[in-house]
Amino acid sequence: MEAKTDIKSMTLEELKDCLVSMGEKPFRAKQLYEWVHVRLVSSFDEMTNLPKSLREKLKESCSLTVLTQEDLQISKIDGTRKYLFALSDGNMVESVLMKYEHGNSVCISSQVGCRMGCRFCASTLDGLVRGLTPSEMLDQIYRIQTDIGERVSNVVVMGTGEPLDNYDNLIRFIHLLTDPNGLNISQRNVTVSTCGIVPRIYDLAREDLQITLALSLHASTQEKRQELMPIANRYDIHEVLKAMKDYVNATGRRVTFEYSLVGGVNDTDEDAVRLAGLLKGLLCHVNLIPVNPIKERSYVQSNHRRVLAFQKKLENLGINVTIRRELGRDIDGACGQLRRRHLRG
Ligand code: SAH
């Protein structure tokens, strides 16, 4: 049997062509697109302004990707909601909703598992299964917006997976997510976080997007970065910083550097001084994250005083820096933990 067309991954233009080829009028595409991307329905039967005959035809040749909620954990501390969703092939992904004063922010996964191998991360322990389709990335947001009955205003691609290792699907996802005919999330409210796949950073800079790019830096020297992140063996720290500079020049956007503080590994004053040196003159912001310990590894968090001292040091050296609020500490905080718990049963 031929695979069904994944209509949630199609642009409005593509949908028009598709419907016309089925012998339908182009305006049906606009109606269909609105059911899928604005009203966020989960079945063809809910598309009540489409003739029943068309709905039947669509059911036969097209699929409507809808994730199934398998688990939900709600933080008693701050209301953060962590969702576990099943995909149609039975794989599972995690997504997180965080409520901020400026709006609802959803953190999505871009792959099932990950092959980047960062030493402190739970998502990569079992390797990569596959990349998510654009529709599977979108539907994490659609299901959460439907569940809470409130608009999602910010999206961060910082869950499981390396988004730039699923590049074409990521770009298509961003276009659909920020489409004025769809959910219409502002490009400026979309952040993509990468471990630093250098050629794809140059590509992303040329997509003519106004999204925020975040680089997981986590070290102030090539040697220390190599210890924490295998990707550093492919691309040297200076190469990746050069690519980030190019991103700033090409897009005019301020970039973010994520720096997870690991006790006794990358959190000394000397690290802060070297980090400030690396970032000097670059339009950027540093986000400090106290590492979230996973039981498979022995890394520990820097103590709070050390985190504050590290921040102060960077500030004194003229670097824009914030400490990431640790939301949802009581609900399997670190990336990939909820999915792993379910995999192990
Ligand atoms: N692959 C992408 C996005 C997913 S990881 C990337 O590497 O950026 C999202 C962020 O969480 C990254 O900065 C990652 O390094 C960090 N991270 C992963 N596990 C962590 C942990 N246990 N504690 C703190 N930060 C972690």
Side-chain angles (χ1 to χ4, degrees):
M1 202 186 78
E2 219 179 293
K4 289 186 172 184
T5 310
D6 172 13
I7 53 165
K8 198 171 275 185
S9 291
M10 291 169 78
T11 64
L12 181 54
E13 283 309 308
E14 290 167 343
L15 212 49
K16 273 187 193 148
D17 293 344
C18 174
L19 284 179
V20 169
S21 74
M22 290 166 74
E24 298 290 332
K25 294 262 177 345
F27 80 93
R28 293 291 182 201
K30 186 80 199 284
Q31 291 178 318
L32 179 54
Y33 195 84
E34 193 177 312
W35 284 114
V36 173
H37 297 284
V38 180
R39 305 218 208 171
L40 315 182
V41 297
S42 55
S43 69
F44 288 109
D45 288 326
E46 290 165 78
M47 304 180 180
T48 46
N49 63 357
L50 300 184
K52 185 130 196 294
S53 56
L54 173 55
R55 286 181 343 229
E56 294 305 321
K57 258 203 285 188
L58 288 170
K59 275 189 226 172
E60 259 168 47
S61 57
C62 303
S63 64
L64 182 64
T65 301
V66 179
L67 309 189
T68 320
Q69 190 176 311
E70 292 285 325
D71 195 5
L72 169 62
Q73 297 183 338
I74 304 173
S75 166
K76 292 190 180 66
I77 305 169
D78 51 48
T80 295
R81 296 163 81 87
K82 187 148 191 167
Y83 294 82
L84 185 74
F85 291 115
L87 312 174
S88 59
D89 64 359
N91 278 304
M92 307 255 199
V93 294
E94 292 177 29
S95 329
V96 184
L97 168 80
M98 292 155 290
K99 289 182 170 263
Y100 292 103
E101 269 166 33
H102 63 262
N104 293 315
S105 181
V106 168
C107 173
I108 66 151
S109 295
S110 56
Q111 298 184 311
V112 180
C114 182
R115 58 174 174 167
M116 296 299 135
C118 297
R119 298 290 299 157
F120 43 80
C121 180
S123 295
T124 196
L125 291 167
D126 294 320
L128 175 69
V129 179
R130 67 173 176 86
L132 298 188
T133 60
S135 57
E136 288 168 336
M137 290 188 247
L138 283 173
D139 207 52
Q140 297 173 55
I141 300 147
Y142 293 180
R143 284 315 111 214
I144 291 176
Q145 177 158 316
T146 306
D147 183 49
I148 62 172
E150 288 175 26
R151 186 174 161 74
V152 170
S153 55
N154 292 66
V155 171
V156 296
V157 188
M158 275 191 197
T160 295
E162 168 48 48
L164 300 190
D165 188 34
N166 187 18
Y167 188 83
D168 293 341
N169 286 342
L170 174 80
I171 300 299
R172 181 174 275 272
F173 156 76
I174 294 170
H175 283 295
L176 290 166
L177 180 69
T178 59
D179 180 1
N181 292 303
L183 215 53
N184 194 16
I185 291 182
S186 162
Q187 286 186 359
R188 290 167 175 267
N189 293 350
V190 176
T191 299
V192 169
S193 176
T194 178
C195 64
I197 301 182
V198 167
R200 295 290 88 76
I201 295 176
Y202 285 101
D203 290 342
L204 190 62
R206 275 141 199 88
E207 297 285 351
D208 197 22
L209 293 170
Q210 283 291 297
I211 60 169
T212 299
L213 180 60
L215 176 77
S216 300
L217 188 58
H218 303 327
S220 64
T221 65
Q222 167 64 5
E223 291 68 34
K224 286 199 194 197
R225 195 161 188 264
Q226 272 173 312
E227 277 173 37
L228 294 170
M229 306 177 71
I231 191 72
N233 297 316
R234 275 290 285 288
Y235 307 107
D236 181 88
I237 192 168
H238 297 287
E239 266 181 78
V240 75
L241 288 170
K242 208 170 127 216
M244 292 301 282
K245 193 170 284 180
D246 172 75
Y247 189 87
V248 172
N249 291 338
T251 63
R253 299 287 294 158
R254 183 174 85 162
V255 291
T256 299
F257 292 96
E258 293 159 275
Y259 195 100
S260 293
L261 286 159
V262 187
V265 173
N266 63 4
D267 66 345
T268 64
D269 275 354
E270 293 74 50
D271 284 299
V273 172
R274 274 194 301 261
L275 179 59
L278 289 175
L279 304 183
K280 206 172 168 57
L282 186 59
L283 180 62
C284 72
H285 171 258
V286 173
N287 207 204
L288 298 176
I289 314 160
V291 82
N292 203 334
I294 57 173
K295 65 174 189 305
E296 292 83 356
R297 302 274 187 257
S298 55
Y299 295 120
V300 294
Q301 271 193 1
S302 309
N303 70 48
H304 193 58
R305 276 191 21 228
R306 184 88 293 272
V307 176
L308 291 177
F310 197 94
Q311 178 189 32
K312 192 95 214 134
K313 194 85 201 167
L314 285 179
E315 264 173 4
N316 289 343
L317 293 164
I319 304 289
N320 255 308
V321 51
T322 49
I323 301 175
R324 163 103 41 98
R325 264 172 70 210
E326 285 186 88
L327 294 173
R329 278 311 300 270
D330 53 334
I331 50 167
D332 289 321
C335 308
Q337 283 186 341
L338 180 58
R339 171 170 166 262
R340 276 183 70 74
R341 198 157 58 72
H342 275 258
L343 286 178
R344 310 284 132 182

